[in-house]
Amino acid sequence: MIDIKINDELELTDDKFLMIAGPCSVESEEQILGVARDLKKIGVNVLRGGTFKPRTQPESFQGLGEEGLKLLARAREETGMAIITEVMDEENLPLVEEYADIIQIGSRNSQNFSLLKAVSKYNKPVLLKRGFGNTIDELIGSSKYLALGGNKKIMLVERGIRTFETSTRFTLDVSAVPVLHEKTEYPVLIDPSHPAGINRYVEPLAMAGTAAGADGLIIEVHPNPKEALSDAAQQLTVPEFMELYDKIKRITEITRKNII
């Protein structure tokens, strides 16, 4: 597996397990700083938070844009956490790259090849989510676009695919973990929040992905999910995440990985 240097403090290697957590969207200074402090105390070193949000309905909350990026930077300055946020288009790529330690490519942009080629010109870690209608080979093809500029600091994420099953938001393809490990040299993370769609399913999906050999998790955590402006139903509270973190820690002891 390729080693991914995130910043001066963090490096994802074969014996490490990367825990990424934070709210779906950056909503306010109080919200993002509060949850960042809580997550740092638990042991999380990478904070997620959407600032440009790809929403199905135009009237839904679209994110705070640059103001959200500034709030993430403030959280990094206070806690020392690295920050990851999604880029949606080439226009905002330079702005996102200026602030983010890790650039996220969301599922809807997994095959936005012009964006992938633009991101490939930057030398920053990139987290690439599998599109919910994409095969594993199509995800690998997208990773090749990201590597065009020579940047191999790529993390692949299984976040559920759309199938005939409707009891969950998406169907988590746990088998993608060993298959991607076999076919690529990149770390493979699991996003249990989006396939779950409901917070009570997040824990078992996260545990299943970890046991399958994933190299990390990216989980949505909100100080008060009922008041969240996006993805309210699937976000964990801080106490719920703390309980999950302890369980994941026990599983990673079996898989011989240390949480970073």
Side-chain angles (χ1 to χ4, degrees), residues 51-52 64-73 76 83-104 115 118-119 122 124:
T51 56
F52 296 94
L64 297 178
E66 186 173 7
E67 179 57 29
L69 292 171
K70 291 178 180 179
L71 293 176
L72 283 174
R76 173 175 55 201
I83 57 175
I84 175 172
T85 194
E86 182 174 352
V87 62
M88 286 180 53
D89 50 50
E90 293 178 66
E91 179 184 356
N92 288 308
L93 175 57
L95 183 63
V96 171
E97 192 275 338
E98 179 184 345
Y99 284 92
D101 296 294
I102 305 171
I103 299 171
Q104 176 180 316
L115 176 60
V119 173
Y122 293 90
K124 276 199 173 176

Side-chain angles (χ1 to χ4, degrees), residues 120-134:
S120 75
K121 298 174 183 177
Y122 293 90
N123 189 35
K124 276 199 173 176
V126 181
L127 185 145
L128 173 65
K129 288 193 174 186
R130 179 182 180 181
F132 50 72
N134 293 162

